[in-house]
Amino acid sequence: MRGPPPKERGQRLAKSTWYLTTPIYYPSDRLHVGHAYTTVAADALARYHRLRGQSVWFVTGSDEHGQKIKRRADQQGVSAQDFVDDIVGQIKDPLWKRLAISYDDFIRTTQTRHHRVVQTFFQQLQERGDIYRGLYEGWYCLPCETFWTQTKVQSGNCPDCGRPVERVRQQSYFFRLSAYQDRMRQYILDHPDFIQPTTRRNEMLAFLDEGLEDLSISRTGLNWGIPVPGDPDHVIYVWFDALLNYLTAAGYASDAERFEAIWPPDLQLVGKEIVRFHAIIWPIMLMAQGLALPRQVFGHGWLLIGDTKMSKSRGNAVDPLDLIDRYGVDAVRYYLLREVPFGADGSYTEDALVLRTNVDLANDLGNLLHRTVAMMGRFADGSVTLPPTAGADRVLVRETERVGAAVARKMDEHNLSEALVAVGQLVRAANRQIEVAQPWNLAKAGQTDQLHTVLFDLAETLRVLSVLLTPFLVEAPTRLRVQLGLSTPVADWKETAFGQGPRTYSVQPGPPLFPRIEREREAPPAEASTPSTQAELVGLDLFRQLELAVATIVAAEPVAGADRLLKIVVDDGERTRTLVSGIRAQYAPETLIGKQVVVVKNLRPQKIRGILSEGMLLAASTGDALTLVAPEAAIAAGAKVK
Ligand code: MSP
């Protein structure tokens, strides 16, 4: 007999805290960059919400029971507890510590507080008839710790991970999932934001349409788990145990005041492979208990190596600590959050990490700071106040306001990558402003008010950038602020407003914010020049692989020690890009500014004389004569050439 669920709890006025969770990780092995991805994303969101003045409860932890971990411990000849203690210790420190994960609670499923909650919850559902005893016959995937019925198993393999499943036939406790199928479906339909992104929501609706069977939630013959109350031959299924961590960490059944303030979770970030557990099984567990459901389960994509998921068992795992050692914590965090659209799968490559760091952080942001501070030193003795003559309608004031609002909007949607795209737009707008306003000419002409207005706006924009980047980067914002002469850390998102900074900026030049990463590259194969033959004709598809676009030159300077080379910065409509080009004999750098050219955008970047050249300018040449290829009439930068 199923009793009535207790009255709805959790969704009360007392809820005051933004509750964010990551999955709890299996400490079966050392964690890799894929695990760091979820946690860094959660950390950026936690930091953002704290800056917005919200009280935040950010929980991560470890999922320590189950057959897989027991087997690993047995293989190593150590007790399961010693085995997990060792790995969990390393997850907390050095891994999360070095990635600067600002969690408020780290929950371990082996903790007493959690055992209590799991057993209490089990009993509560049992008393109401949602848990019953029966015989389980089916299949079990050990790596996924998942039960599968005959119909779901594909030729003896797990439908999720493709690895062989094991036959299981034993007495088991069951959770009456099937009774909640319609309510769950209706809940998803009534709450469009409950499962995000929408693709995952659709997958879950399709899964529900196939029908839910009651879930086996206990195992016999395994002692590494939480015993079923009153029936110690059974341990509670590891997923049933693990999902309840979110209740334990909120103070369920132990700290009523905290629970009222925290419950329900506002955002549960999970990888796409475990959305089903979080968006169907878990909410049904809560429904059965009359508890409020999480406001959102967000299923992000995988980091792939080539076409396959990064994972320890596939032997393609990358160690985040190794990356931090070599590139620094901010480069790693930035790459993870910026590179892949949040929600989608994306390839991990170290080359892309280096490129992102060099282009976005060293070149665009680092140079902006360096140039601003240097110009303030050179043209204003290092100190600038906004002159009273400055009008209110200035390009960086407008752009800062636009970007600040865009970043907040994207963060509220949990769209971390697009938030960073918007930040990049502000960086580029400021760099462009230097080229447009040409402070060196204002200084030469003695136009002090205009000069100080430009320099002040640049400093103020950099200050705003230090605030916008605070959720994402953990070292650079402070280092940036020190160079701007600001001694206080960022405390509030309101500081993103233009004009919230000091009246006078007194800068302190410092080391580069992000030194360029120099990597030895293999020398490209020598180009063979063979006469064209019929065999070399190319199809349109090959031509189309080239990304050609119109770009506007915003800066040009000679490359020291190379009398044929110029370093050219172009605006390609999306961002600035640096090119090293052998046109110095034909073009004086200052004559190039503002010219429109055609660039190859998807050429593999190459270091030339220590400068990373990210593409190529098209030029026509014969003998000594050389002329740049340009659009016949002005057109927006970024226009495709085809
Ligand atoms: N213990 C369960 C979760 C229980 S939550 C109540 C589990 N653990 S796990 O360690 O295998 O994986 C946890 C999470 O790590 C995944 O959901 C996913 O968020 C993340 N990732 C692991 N590999 C990943 C990639 N290659 N790419 C992106 N995220 C990945 O599942």
Side-chain angles (χ1 to χ4, degrees):
M1 264 290 291
R2 304 180 51 230
K7 80 176 175 54
E8 285 270 322
R9 277 172 293 178
Q11 216 147 33
R12 300 190 182 175
L13 287 179
K15 159 102 176 160
S16 58
T17 300
W18 198 74
Y19 183 20
L20 165 70
T21 67
T22 71
I24 48 172
Y25 301 96
Y26 290 127
S28 47
D29 233 316
R30 290 176 61 178
L31 302 191
H32 56 69
V33 169
H35 304 111
Y37 181 57
T38 319
T39 318
V40 167
D43 182 67
L45 288 164
R47 286 171 186 264
Y48 167 73
H49 281 268
R50 287 191 199 109
L51 277 185
R52 302 278 340 211
Q54 277 170 294
S55 135
V56 170
W57 193 247
F58 166 26
V59 177
T60 189
S62 46
D63 182 0
E64 306 185 9
H65 294 126
Q67 195 178 340
K68 185 168 57 176
I69 289 187
K70 178 73 170 83
R71 277 202 193 164
R72 296 271 304 164
D74 289 348
Q75 280 159 6
Q76 298 199 3
V78 292
S79 75
Q81 191 64 55
D82 285 349
F83 179 81
V84 293
D85 283 351
D86 177 43
I87 296 189
V88 171
Q90 295 178 45
I91 293 175
K92 289 170 130 178
D93 183 2
L95 185 58
W96 293 160
K97 193 165 181 192
R98 292 202 59 203
L99 274 169
I101 306 302
S102 61
Y103 58 80
D104 298 294
D105 192 1
F106 188 102
I107 176 148
R108 300 184 56 179
T109 53
T110 48
Q111 288 165 335
T112 315
R113 58 170 175 162
H114 183 64
H115 277 225
R116 258 192 236 123
V117 167
V118 174
Q119 293 199 325
T120 306
F121 196 91
F122 191 100
Q123 258 168 334
Q124 286 167 335
L125 291 192
Q126 205 173 15
E127 278 159 20
R128 285 213 321 283
D130 274 328
I131 289 179
Y132 62 93
R133 214 181 134 131
L135 177 72
Y136 178 76
E137 256 195 291
W139 302 92
Y140 196 73
C141 172
L142 187 60
C144 298
E145 297 276 19
T146 305
F147 290 104
W148 293 108
T149 54
Q150 181 65 44
T151 48
K152 292 270 165 60
V153 168
Q154 294 164 351
S155 330
N157 292 325
C158 169
D160 267 1
C161 72
R163 286 173 281 206
V165 288
E166 298 170 13
R167 183 82 190 153
V168 179
R169 186 174 190 278
Q170 57 184 219
Q171 283 293 314
S172 171
Y173 287 84
F174 286 86
F175 174 45
R176 215 180 280 282
L177 268 192
S178 58
Y180 290 88
Q181 176 175 328
D182 295 340
R183 265 178 78 183
M184 192 61 235
R185 189 166 197 287
Q186 198 54 46
Y187 188 89
I188 296 175
L189 292 174
D190 291 344
H191 298 82
D193 289 337
F194 173 57
I195 307 173
Q196 283 293 316
T198 316
T199 45
R200 313 267 179 252
R201 178 171 184 265
N202 295 339
E203 283 162 14
M204 290 307 111
L205 285 169
F207 186 82
L208 277 171
D209 286 345
E210 289 175 23
L212 285 183
E213 291 181 29
D214 291 349
L215 179 71
S216 165
I217 53 162
S218 74
R219 305 288 311 262
T220 48
L222 173 71
N223 60 6
W224 184 235
I226 302 177
V228 166
D231 195 352
D233 286 348
H234 289 252
V235 297
I236 295 173
Y237 171 41
V238 62
W239 266 102
F240 194 86
D241 155 359
L243 288 163
L244 290 170
N245 91 84
Y246 306 125
L247 279 175
T248 308
Y252 179 74
S254 71
D255 184 343
E257 207 177 313
R258 180 136 70 91
F259 189 68
E260 297 286 289
I262 289 177
W263 199 259
D266 290 86
L267 177 63
Q268 303 211 270
L269 273 190
V270 299
K272 65 177 187 180
E273 79 282 18
I274 58 172
V275 170
R276 191 163 41 87
F277 289 97
H278 285 84
I280 294 181
I281 296 175
W282 164 232
I284 292 181
M285 288 163 67
L286 294 172
M287 260 181 197
Q289 191 55 15
L291 290 164
L293 269 49
R295 296 195 169 143
Q296 186 169 109
V297 174
F298 188 102
H300 66 70
W302 286 341
L303 288 187
L304 309 172
I305 300 278
D307 293 333
T308 41
K309 183 184 178 204
M310 183 190 295
S311 75
K312 204 83 190 183
S313 61
R314 290 183 181 89
N316 62 7
V318 178
D319 181 0
L321 291 171
D322 174 45
L323 294 181
I324 299 173
D325 283 343
R326 283 184 298 132
Y327 303 122
V329 59
D330 279 346
V332 175
R333 286 177 60 113
Y334 181 80
Y335 169 74
L336 291 177
L337 300 175
R338 168 65 183 82
E339 187 72 8
V340 180
F342 201 57
D345 288 351
S347 284
Y348 165 88
T349 70
E350 199 166 319
D351 277 353
L353 190 161
V354 170
L355 191 65
R356 273 278 162 227
T357 311
N358 281 345
V359 173
D360 295 8
L361 299 179
N363 195 43
D364 288 356
L365 179 65
N367 273 348
L368 175 64
L369 178 68
H370 175 75
R371 291 163 90 193
T372 303
V373 170
M375 287 190 297
M376 283 175 69
R378 202 170 321 132
F379 305 133
D381 290 332
S383 180
V384 164
T385 308
L386 184 67
T389 52
D393 186 22
R394 308 195 302 277
V395 69
L396 288 180
V397 180
R398 286 197 305 272
E399 192 59 7
T400 300
E401 271 167 21
R402 186 189 70 76
V403 167
V407 174
R409 200 170 51 246
K410 294 297 177 192
M411 292 302 274
D412 291 338
E413 294 166 5
H414 316 136
N415 196 332
L416 296 153
S417 49
E418 283 189 24
L420 280 173
V421 170
V423 173
Q425 289 165 350
L426 183 57
V427 175
R428 281 193 299 282
N431 274 320
R432 204 174 302 135
Q433 180 60 2
I434 297 179
E435 307 308 333
V436 171
Q438 307 201 334
W440 46 94
N441 284 339
L442 296 174
K444 218 185 285 168
Q447 294 177 299
T448 313
D449 273 14
Q450 285 96 319
L451 172 69
H452 283 210
T453 304
V454 173
L455 294 178
F456 179 89
D457 284 357
L458 289 168
E460 181 65 1
T461 304
L462 277 158
R463 183 196 62 77
V464 171
L465 283 166
S466 76
V467 187
L468 293 174
L469 284 167
T470 289
F472 304 95
L473 308 183
V474 292
E475 292 175 349
T478 307
R479 286 195 287 119
L480 188 160
R481 290 168 76 85
V482 167
Q483 294 203 32
L484 291 178
L486 303 171
S487 54
T488 49
V490 175
D492 196 307
W493 189 254
K494 289 199 190 84
E495 295 167 38
T496 53
F498 199 100
Q500 294 286 308
R503 282 192 59 246
T504 302
Y505 276 98
S506 298
V507 294
Q508 296 173 14
L513 197 57
F514 286 95
R516 218 160 234 293
I517 301 170
E518 310 288 352
R519 280 174 91 209
E520 291 307 317
R521 296 186 165 275
E522 282 169 31
E527 272 176 48
S529 77
T530 44
S532 9
T533 64
Q534 187 69 16
E536 288 171 11
L537 290 180
V538 298
L540 207 53
D541 49 342
L542 187 61
F543 174 71
R544 286 198 181 126
Q545 283 176 23
L546 286 177
E547 269 184 56
L548 299 172
V550 173
T552 308
I553 298 182
V554 293
E557 61 185 53
V559 173
D563 44 351
R564 291 181 44 224
L565 298 181
L566 288 182
K567 175 181 163 190
I568 293 174
V569 181
V570 298
D571 171 359
D572 68 9
E574 285 172 355
R575 63 174 178 89
T576 49
R577 111 188 359 250
T578 301
L579 313 167
V580 175
S581 186
I583 58 169
R584 183 163 171 184
Q586 291 80 15
Y587 290 92
E590 57 280 6
T591 62
L592 287 169
I593 312 293
K595 259 195 205 318
Q596 290 211 296
V597 287
V598 175
V599 294
V600 188
K601 284 169 70 176
N602 59 341
L603 204 62
R604 185 169 302 121
Q606 208 188 341
K607 221 160 64 193
I608 303 174
R609 298 279 175 149
I611 301 167
L612 190 73
S613 183
E614 313 159 79
M616 193 172 112
L617 290 181
L618 293 195
S621 72
T622 164
D624 278 346
L626 178 143
T627 182
L628 286 171
V629 172
E632 192 264 330
I635 188 164
K640 260 181 106 167
V641 175
K642 47 191 183 179

